[in-house]
């Protein structure tokens, strides 16, 4: 999947929020604070750059990476790439059934969705987060 870019974080509708929240709960994720779900691939350089950008994101942000398989990647290799690129506090999910990919409507990577549970809102971004990190931080602060 090749990355696409948009100019800003776009707000998702309420049914997207409900469906996506339910899908995340199946992975044991029930956000209580700002949470970012980033869909990525091991070979995607823009994905790795986004993950590195998130290292200096707001300290209250919880991060979960969803690995989107493009074949039979080695789980240990994917985990190592994640550990080298992602912030220390970030979790990694393997979406082998592609249920999350389908629910979130992911057509390319990197694709990120910010969950603001107090506001019951989600914002999505397609492409490298470094291109609009400032807006990400503003959205996180609006939740606190």
């Amino acid at each position: 999947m090749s990355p696409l870019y948009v100019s800003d974080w776009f707000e998702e509708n309420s049914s997207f929020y409900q469906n996506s929240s339910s899908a995340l709960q199946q992975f044991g994720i029930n956000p209580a604070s700002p949470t970012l779900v980033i869909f990525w691939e091991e070979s995607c350089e823009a994905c790795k750059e986004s993950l590195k950008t998130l290292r200096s994101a707001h300290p209250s942000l919880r991060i979960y990476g969803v690995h989107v398989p493009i074949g039979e990647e080695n789980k240990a290799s994917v985990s190592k790439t994640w550990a080298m690129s992602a912030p220390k506090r970030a979790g990694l999910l393997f979406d082998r059934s592609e249920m999350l990919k389908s629910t979130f409507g992911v057509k390319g990577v990197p694709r990120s969705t910010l969950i603001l549970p107090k506001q019951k809102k989600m914002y999505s971004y397609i492409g490298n987060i470094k291109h609009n990190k400032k807006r990400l931080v503003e959205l996180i602060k609006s939740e606190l």
Side-chain angles (χ1 to χ4, degrees), residues 63-66 82 87-93:
I63 300 166
Y64 293 95
V66 179
W82 174 259
K88 297 282 186 240
R89 64 190 184 278
L92 175 60
L93 307 171

Side-chain angles (χ1 to χ4, degrees), residues 34-140:
T35 301
L36 185 81
V37 177
I38 181 168
F39 291 84
W40 70 288
E41 294 172 359
E42 182 179 23
S43 62
C44 171
E45 291 304 317
C47 298
K48 292 175 192 172
E49 280 187 36
S50 286
L51 292 171
K52 289 177 183 173
T53 297
L54 291 171
R55 289 180 182 170
S56 62
H58 200 278
S60 68
L61 181 65
R62 306 293 303 161
I63 300 166
Y64 293 95
V66 179
H67 184 259
V68 179
I70 56 173
E72 291 300 317
E73 287 96 345
N74 181 320
K75 197 171 184 178
S77 174
V78 170
S79 296
K80 181 178 178 182
T81 300
W82 174 259
M84 290 175 14
S85 302
K88 297 282 186 240
R89 64 190 184 278
L92 175 60
L93 307 171
F94 287 89
D95 188 26
R96 294 259 182 243
S97 69
E98 298 190 1
M99 185 266 296
L100 289 175
K101 178 182 173 185
S102 175
T103 302
F104 279 77
V106 175
K107 297 194 181 358
V109 294
R111 162 75 185 252
S112 303
T113 299
L114 176 65
I115 304 164
L116 302 176
K118 290 179 186 173
Q119 298 178 38
K120 295 194 183 309
K121 290 184 178 181
M122 285 188 179
Y123 292 85
S124 292
Y125 188 84
I126 300 169
N128 189 335
I129 290 174
K130 79 175 188 176
H131 297 297
N132 208 334
K133 181 182 171 192
K134 181 179 177 185
R135 177 70 175 138
L136 170 65
V137 172
E138 288 171 1
L139 289 168
I140 294 166

